[in-house]
């Protein structure tokens, strides 16, 4: 009997040092987990060419992805899923519709917005809505007086504001002499309006000149 109580005492002592995990405890959230997001085509209220507006929409996807905070649905996959459901993004004019599309895509967040004109200015406005709550969580906008090709900068600034990530910047490498040598890249395409990427980062729309490489 004494031996039994001795073993029982040891058992409770060990149990006090190594408590049994609580099965009902919720796992801690990983702050580094990327958010699954889809970006709708920007509404063209500025009279842009369709390919220009499509390029800017792709730029927004790339910039949000480049922040490192989001997993972004590929546009072709998104179009295919919506086509199978008989939905047209162009017919989606309400937040409820945006949320419905997000539910079909299985994403956590939806990004949508428009490009308009106000006098001589382009106005880009983007909103982020939570698919589960249906609430607008973030909004950002920028104005630009430049040509269409210069709208890449406000697009990048909006993505940075929304995500709080880092914007891609080409990094100059030192030469053998130890000096940092840079060059520039000028790209022209026919037809114009092609998105130009450098080291996976979007740097502009053709025709474009990229300095400081």
């Amino acid at each position: 009997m004494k031996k039994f109580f001795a073993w029982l005492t040891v058992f409770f002592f060990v149990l006090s040092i190594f408590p049994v995990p609580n099965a009902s405890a919720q796992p801690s959230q990983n702050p580094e987990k990327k958010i699954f997001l889809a970006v709708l085509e920007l509404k063209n209220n500025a009279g842009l060419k369709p390919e220009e507006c499509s390029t800017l929409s792709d730029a927004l996807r790339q910039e949000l992805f480049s922040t490192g905070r989001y997993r972004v649905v590929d546009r072709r996959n998104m179009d295919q899923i919506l086509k199978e459901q008989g939905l047209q993004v162009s017919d989606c004019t309400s937040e409820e519709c945006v949320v419905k599309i997000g539910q079909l895509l299985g994403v956590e967040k939806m990004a949508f917005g428009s490009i308009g004109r106000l006098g001589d200015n382009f106005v880009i406005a983007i909103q982020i809505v939570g698919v589960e709550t249906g609430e607008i969580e973030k909004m950002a906008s920028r104005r630009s007086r430049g040509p269409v090709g210069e709208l890449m900068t406000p697009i990048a600034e909006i993505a940075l504001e929304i995500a709080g990530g880092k914007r891609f910047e080409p990094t100059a490498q030192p030469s053998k002499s130890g000096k940092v040598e840079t060059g520039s890249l000028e790209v022209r395409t026919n037809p114009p309006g092609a998105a130009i990427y450098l080291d996976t980062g979007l740097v502009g729309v053709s025709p474009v000149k990229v300095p400081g490489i």
Side-chain angles (χ1 to χ4, degrees):
M1 182 64 70
K2 291 182 180 180
K3 188 175 181 180
F4 170 78
F5 281 109
W7 278 109
L8 192 63
T9 302
V10 171
F11 171 77
F12 282 109
F13 175 76
V14 173
L15 187 63
S16 66
I17 299 177
F18 303 103
V20 177
N22 184 357
S24 63
Q26 295 296 326
S28 59
Q29 297 296 325
N30 182 3
E32 301 299 325
K33 179 179 177 294
K34 293 185 178 181
I35 299 170
F36 198 21
L37 172 140
V39 181
L40 294 183
E41 292 291 295
L42 298 175
K43 293 189 180 300
N44 184 3
N45 299 327
L48 300 177
K49 297 178 181 178
E51 61 269 21
E52 292 174 334
C53 195
S54 180
T55 298
L56 292 172
S57 300
D58 285 339
L60 179 60
R61 292 185 182 93
Q62 177 63 37
E63 291 293 344
L64 287 170
F65 174 81
S66 296
T67 66
R69 286 203 59 194
Y70 296 103
R71 291 189 299 128
V72 181
V73 177
D74 180 77
R75 182 182 65 178
R76 288 169 295 183
N77 292 339
M78 181 174 67
D79 291 344
Q80 180 63 32
I81 293 173
L82 297 181
K83 183 179 180 180
E84 292 173 355
Q85 297 295 325
L87 292 176
Q88 293 286 339
V89 175
S90 58
D91 297 333
C92 194
T93 58
S94 66
E95 295 170 18
E96 290 79 7
C97 180
V98 172
V99 169
K100 181 179 179 181
I101 289 178
Q103 292 170 343
L104 288 173
L105 296 175
V107 298
E108 300 169 74
K109 314 286 183 186
M110 291 290 295
F112 64 103
S114 63
I115 303 175
R117 282 186 184 272
L118 185 61
D120 296 330
N121 292 307
F122 286 105
V123 181
I124 304 175
I126 306 297
Q127 301 178 15
I128 301 291
V129 64
V131 174
E132 184 176 350
T133 63
E135 297 179 355
I136 295 178
E137 300 179 350
K138 294 183 180 180
M139 301 177 67
S141 64
R142 290 292 187 281
R143 294 184 182 184
S144 176
R145 292 180 61 90
V148 176
E150 293 185 11
L151 293 179
M152 306 302 294
T153 298
I155 286 283
E157 291 174 351
I158 287 174
L160 187 64
E161 179 179 339
I162 288 174
K166 293 182 179 181
R167 184 181 174 191
F168 166 81
E169 294 290 349
T171 303
Q173 299 295 327
S175 64
K176 293 181 179 180
S177 64
K179 296 181 179 180
V180 175
E181 299 178 352
T182 62
S184 62
L185 175 68
E186 186 170 357
V187 181
R188 296 178 181 275
T189 62
N190 186 17
I196 307 301
Y197 295 85
L198 178 63
D199 293 340
T200 73
L202 186 62
V203 295
V205 175
S206 65
V208 65
K209 185 173 183 180
V210 186
I213 300 175

